Amino acid sequence: MIATDAELAPYTESIFLPYIYKFSPKHVPQIQTTIDDVDIEMPVDTGSTMTLIGASILPNIDKTKGTPAHHFFTSSKILYVGRLVELPITFHGESGSHAIARVPVLLVDKSWTCPWYDPSTPAGRFECPAGPNGEEAVARDTSRITYMGVGFGRNLPRDGMPYASPSVNAFLNVASINGRVISPRSMRLGYEISSQGVNLGLTPAVVKGFQFTSLEPGLTHETDPRDWAMVKMCFSIDDSGSHCGPGLVDTGIAQMYIRAEEGFTIPKVMVRNPNPNGTTKMVKRVKPGTKIAIGFPTLDESVLSYALVVGEGSAIEPSYVFPEASRRPPFVNTGRNLLWGYSIAFDAVDGRFGFRPVDSTAVPPPSVL
């Protein structure tokens, strides 16, 4: 049974973590953290699950310590290899408030940009292989790696995150707030994310105005009841079809990825690659003028439905829309610009995901994006 807001009344523990910098499509939102006495401006990514820190950033941790692990981002094609070490993470909130979580952190010893990496390869393959035409992997500077993945339902083999269980999600493993040890009776596991910051812990005040949809159990739900599958969604293209599958509101990227049902062609164009370091001169984009309508969990019965026209310049429009090859299941990654119009909330106890419209006065006009 899904909890009502009234049933959340016993839950009183929550802490607000403001972003360090103004929310923007130009960078991942960041909160202030401290790990092993090192202050870190930590990017918050709902599109992955795990905290990643370059090993050299935390020099006092024994380099032989930890369990070998790897992490691959399918959107940026970056592979991270290192060791999982359990560490306390301090989150800094408003007016000196703080919370502490304790989770395994991936201390990154090696990292590459690896466009040809196959996430379904055996877990023992902790290297970026040579490319199909003999291309060599591009090594990355691990001293600049700081990232906190707080998403859910991302532990599928194709996502490249085999260790992405709730046990590594720092937002779901808060041990104390302002020095008070929290318990399941006082803190409702979950979070609310807006364009202003993050609320850890769900209370009636935090979820007021939200409309929720139920989630299905995740891969490890039987052993960890906090594990839930991605939220369901459906979308149409130019008012045609209904493509249904998993959806993602991803604070880690400003663009949208969209994948239609097999046999359906999304209108697209080829444009010059805006990335000067890109491996190709031309890249695919959804054709300007294309209408995309999205509903969570469906187009007909939704807790959130919205539409955008590619190139129109609305506040919630992603920086660009990439059309993935059509296959099952359909999929949409909205990108973080959706937060200009809606806040999101994840209830890890009952398995529900919600949306709340943002006050229109808080949404900047497209010209300032």
Side-chain angles (χ1 to χ4, degrees):
M1 183 179 68
I2 298 297
T4 64
D5 293 351
E7 291 170 325
L8 292 181
Y11 299 97
T12 58
E13 294 282 5
S14 184
I15 183 172
F16 179 66
L17 311 176
Y19 297 140
I20 301 170
Y21 307 105
K22 186 176 180 180
F23 185 78
S24 169
K26 296 180 180 180
H27 57 77
V28 182
Q30 298 171 48
I31 58 175
Q32 189 64 53
T33 66
T34 300
I35 304 177
D36 199 40
D37 295 326
V38 177
D39 293 332
I40 297 174
E41 296 182 349
M42 188 69 75
V44 175
D45 176 31
T46 54
S48 64
T49 312
M50 183 181 287
T51 301
L52 296 85
I53 306 290
S56 61
I57 296 174
L58 303 176
N60 294 329
I61 298 177
D62 189 337
K63 291 180 172 56
T64 64
K65 187 176 181 181
T67 303
H70 70 281
H71 206 72
F72 182 69
F73 286 89
T74 54
S75 56
S76 60
K77 308 301 181 184
I78 296 175
L79 175 63
Y80 300 86
V81 172
R83 299 157 285 123
L84 283 175
V85 179
E86 188 168 292
L87 296 169
I89 302 174
T90 300
F91 300 115
H92 298 281
E94 292 182 310
S95 305
S97 61
H98 68 279
I100 297 177
R102 190 173 183 88
V103 289
V105 173
L106 181 61
L107 299 184
V108 181
D109 297 309
K110 301 177 182 179
S111 181
W112 303 268
T113 300
C114 192
W116 46 84
Y117 185 81
D118 183 357
S120 64
T121 54
R125 192 170 181 177
F126 281 45
E127 297 281 341
C128 179
N133 298 312
E135 301 96 331
E136 293 186 3
V138 177
R140 303 176 68 247
D141 181 3
T142 60
S143 69
R144 301 174 64 87
I145 294 173
T146 57
Y147 217 71
M148 178 176 286
V150 298
F152 59 93
R154 304 297 286 158
N155 51 349
L156 299 174
R158 66 173 179 269
D159 290 325
M161 307 175 197
Y163 310 96
S165 66
S167 64
V168 302
N169 188 331
F171 282 1
L172 300 184
N173 289 276
V174 177
S176 65
I177 295 178
N178 296 328
R180 300 186 304 273
V181 176
I182 61 100
S183 75
R185 293 188 301 273
S186 62
M187 182 178 181
R188 180 80 168 195
L189 283 182
Y191 53 75
E192 179 258 357
I193 297 180
S194 70
S195 61
Q196 305 301 308
V198 178
N199 274 299
L200 293 184
L202 302 183
T203 67
V206 169
V207 302
K208 184 178 181 180
F210 270 91
Q211 295 293 317
F212 286 94
T213 182
S214 299
L215 304 172
E216 294 184 350
L219 288 177
T220 64
H221 185 80
E222 289 188 1
T223 55
D224 190 336
R226 301 171 299 175
D227 189 17
W228 299 95
M230 295 171 66
V231 65
K232 293 180 179 179
M233 68 81 220
C234 293
F235 70 86
S236 66
I237 299 291
D238 289 332
D239 298 319
S240 176
S242 182
H243 308 265
C244 300
L248 174 63
V249 181
D250 189 348
T251 59
I253 59 174
Q255 67 271 25
M256 173 185 283
Y257 291 91
I258 189 165
R259 182 174 68 228
E261 187 64 78
E262 285 182 332
F264 187 92
T265 300
I266 298 175
K268 61 180 178 290
V269 294
M270 301 298 294
V271 301
R272 185 173 297 279
N273 192 344
N275 181 2
N277 299 317
T279 57
T280 58
K281 291 184 179 180
M282 305 296 287
V283 291
K284 291 187 297 183
R285 297 288 186 263
V286 171
K287 184 179 180 181
T290 301
K291 180 183 176 182
I292 302 173
I294 303 174
F296 295 87
T298 70
L299 287 167
D300 298 327
E301 298 180 5
S302 62
V303 297
L304 169 65
S305 63
Y306 73 101
L308 60 89
V309 176
V310 177
E312 189 177 59
S314 64
I316 63 173
E317 183 181 341
S319 58
Y320 64 84
V321 185
F322 182 85
E324 294 187 339
S326 297
R327 65 177 175 85
R328 295 179 180 174
F331 171 73
V332 163
N333 181 335
T334 69
R336 64 174 162 268
N337 283 358
L338 184 65
L339 293 186
W340 284 123
Y342 304 90
S343 299
I344 58 174
F346 170 50
D347 183 343
V349 177
D350 271 350
R352 57 179 186 160
F353 191 74
F355 301 87
R356 178 176 61 200
V358 172
D359 182 346
S360 60
T361 60
V363 180
S367 61
V368 303
L369 296 180

